[in-house]
Amino acid sequence: MFYLSQVEQNLKMPPHLLKPSLLDGELEKGIRGELEKRFLDKVITNLGLCISVYDIQSFEGGFIFPGDDGCATYKVRCRLVMFQPFVGEVIVGKIESCDEFGLQVSLGFFSDIRIPERFMVQPCHRGEDGIWVWQFKVDNEEFQYSLDIDEEIRFRVASVKYPPTPVEQSENSEPFSPMEITGYINGDGLGLVSWW
Amino acid sequence: MKIEKANAGNLTNFEVFDFLRSRGATSDPMGCIGSVSPSECKVFEYLSGSPAYMQTRESVNEFLRKADKFKFITSFEKLNIVNSTPTVMPALYATIKDCDKRIAKEEEQIAKENQLEEDQLQELLELVKEIFPQPAEEQEELSQ
């Protein structure tokens, strides 16, 4: 689910952040703060969602370029903890909502996980209250298992997509999600955790 | 920004959990303010509810060392197993890709050999249960 990514960034340190850290001798703390502001909670295409700054390997420079409002520019090499599940990984999440296309699952810190109808346990149909129900037949007996909201669900990652940022968005459209995960639950051991 | 190394190493959920804990994250969301950001706190909260909460560095290393003898699982599958600690056979099937196809690989193989593979899966499951025991409260709930 998580892995480390090594990046190099030209970081501009505004003067008001430099003053206390240079006096304390804690420039690294100031740089870390700026890195977190730059990367934390942001999605980097093909790398994933940045969860945390793991460590700062080196930084050099500190030159003040003309026209930069007095910002000192440092070349920082650091490692970031990225969240990007690999295809085939099994993850447990909570069902957040369901609509006519399928389920939406959330992990707390990440909610753009969709399980479309074609990837759900078959056969299943959507009940009157909108909740998806799995009809399980064994020896002429039929059991109905419903996929309720807030239930823990185990799914396997089918794909991770990074749709391009739309240039224009109409007011009523859904908020843009930079990283989308599609999962499937039609397999042994998958589906609601309480089923197995 | 220049990406020097896109993948500088996979991390198990336990390692991320340990890292956030050492940075000062706690289960109490109000207690986290100051040391870690709210989004890091959310990740910590998610991981606290996962099997990573009960794991230690030694148990994870021990599992990886002992699982080395199972040649049929890849390192990604080992990562899957450490992150989800399956305790029942169907859950283990879910973590191993194309499990049923790998057990009955070739029709020419003697039936005894297929039996061997299933025994290996059972052995793997026992190893997971031994190294990553379920928390005591859950077991009490189950027995009630």
Side-chain angles (χ1 to χ4, degrees):
Chain A
M1 226 193 298
F2 303 101
Y3 64 93
L4 288 176
S5 212
Q6 193 162 315
V7 296
E8 191 186 280
Q9 170 75 8
N10 282 333
L11 205 65
K12 271 196 196 156
M13 292 288 290
H16 65 272
L17 287 176
L18 280 177
K19 185 176 156 202
S21 45
L22 273 181
L23 285 177
D24 294 340
E26 284 180 353
L27 181 56
E28 200 171 308
K29 221 173 167 184
I31 288 185
R32 191 186 198 135
E34 270 302 291
L35 279 173
E36 284 182 349
K37 213 157 76 171
R38 180 87 173 74
F39 289 119
L40 219 63
D41 243 8
K42 307 272 194 312
V43 171
I44 304 175
T45 312
N46 296 328
L47 281 190
L49 172 71
C50 180
I51 298 289
S52 186
V53 175
Y54 191 68
D55 62 7
I56 298 173
Q57 298 196 301
S58 71
F59 57 88
E60 57 187 24
F63 302 114
I64 302 176
F65 295 105
D68 252 358
D69 304 328
C71 296
T73 307
Y74 289 90
K75 193 193 260 189
V76 182
R77 287 173 70 237
C78 65
R79 284 191 295 188
L80 306 169
V81 179
M82 306 299 293
F83 164 72
Q84 190 194 68
F86 52 89
V87 172
E89 183 166 0
V90 172
I91 304 178
V92 174
K94 264 198 182 158
I95 299 181
E96 200 174 89
S97 68
C98 52
D99 55 22
E100 67 255 23
F101 301 114
L103 298 171
Q104 193 198 344
V105 178
S106 157
L107 298 181
F109 58 95
F110 187 78
S111 305
D112 290 318
I113 303 172
R114 304 236 183 277
I115 302 185
E117 195 203 332
R118 64 183 191 277
F119 285 157
M120 284 166 60
V121 270
Q122 302 299 332
C124 68
H125 72 276
R126 197 159 178 232
E128 286 145 5
D129 50 358
I131 304 287
W132 287 92
V133 174
W134 176 35
Q135 285 152 317
F136 180 55
K137 236 184 190 165
V138 153
D139 297 332
N140 294 333
E141 265 190 81
E142 208 181 81
F143 299 97
Q144 304 250 357
Y145 291 112
S146 62
L147 292 110
D148 296 313
I149 309 275
D150 268 351
E151 284 280 347
E152 286 203 348
I153 185 169
R154 192 181 284 136
F155 63 94
R156 188 183 278 152
V157 174
S159 71
V160 180
K161 286 204 193 98
Y162 299 92
T165 322
V167 176
E168 271 178 33
Q169 255 186 322
S170 63
E171 277 181 29
N172 297 336
S173 63
E174 276 181 31
F176 167 65
S177 50
M179 181 167 152
E180 277 177 7
I181 298 181
T182 315
Y184 59 84
I185 53 174
N186 51 357
D188 286 329
L190 302 174
L192 290 203
V193 172
S194 51
W195 289 349
W196 304 98
Chain B
M1 181 189 80
K2 193 167 83 173
I3 300 171
E4 283 190 357
K5 239 195 221 174
N7 189 337
N10 284 319
L11 295 172
T12 56
N13 286 6
F14 162 72
E15 285 171 297
V16 179
F17 182 72
D18 207 28
F19 167 68
L20 288 173
R21 193 166 42 185
S22 66
R23 287 271 313 277
T26 56
S27 319
D28 173 24
M30 295 308 285
C32 288
I33 297 176
S35 44
V36 287
S37 68
S39 46
E40 284 169 324
C41 227
K42 276 195 192 154
V43 179
F44 188 80
E45 212 181 301
Y46 170 76
L47 290 175
S48 308
S50 78
Y53 185 63
M54 301 292 299
Q55 290 170 353
T56 64
R57 203 161 280 276
E58 295 82 28
S59 65
V60 174
N61 282 335
E62 197 191 332
F63 174 79
L64 290 173
R65 207 183 55 236
K66 288 195 176 156
D68 244 349
K69 69 171 190 180
F70 296 100
K71 299 288 173 208
F72 62 91
I73 46 173
T74 64
S75 54
F76 272 138
E77 281 154 1
K78 281 188 208 144
L79 185 69
N80 240 347
I81 293 173
V82 171
N83 282 346
S84 59
T85 57
T87 46
V88 289
M89 194 54 96
L92 186 64
Y93 276 0
T95 56
I96 299 179
K97 198 177 167 190
D98 297 332
C99 196
D100 44 349
K101 289 187 196 149
R102 278 206 239 163
I103 289 183
K105 285 188 281 204
E106 293 144 26
E107 261 89 52
E108 295 93 62
Q109 267 192 354
I110 317 164
K112 214 160 80 176
E113 278 199 43
N114 286 349
Q115 201 70 45
L116 194 63
E117 293 274 14
E118 289 200 31
D119 285 344
Q120 283 192 323
L121 278 178
Q122 188 62 39
E123 223 181 297
L124 184 59
L125 195 66
E126 294 301 320
L127 182 67
V128 173
K129 279 201 251 194
E130 179 197 324
I131 297 188
F132 302 121
Q134 293 295 301
E137 309 100 89
E138 266 193 44
Q139 282 174 347
E140 275 176 35
E141 266 180 57
L142 284 170
S143 59
Q144 271 171 6

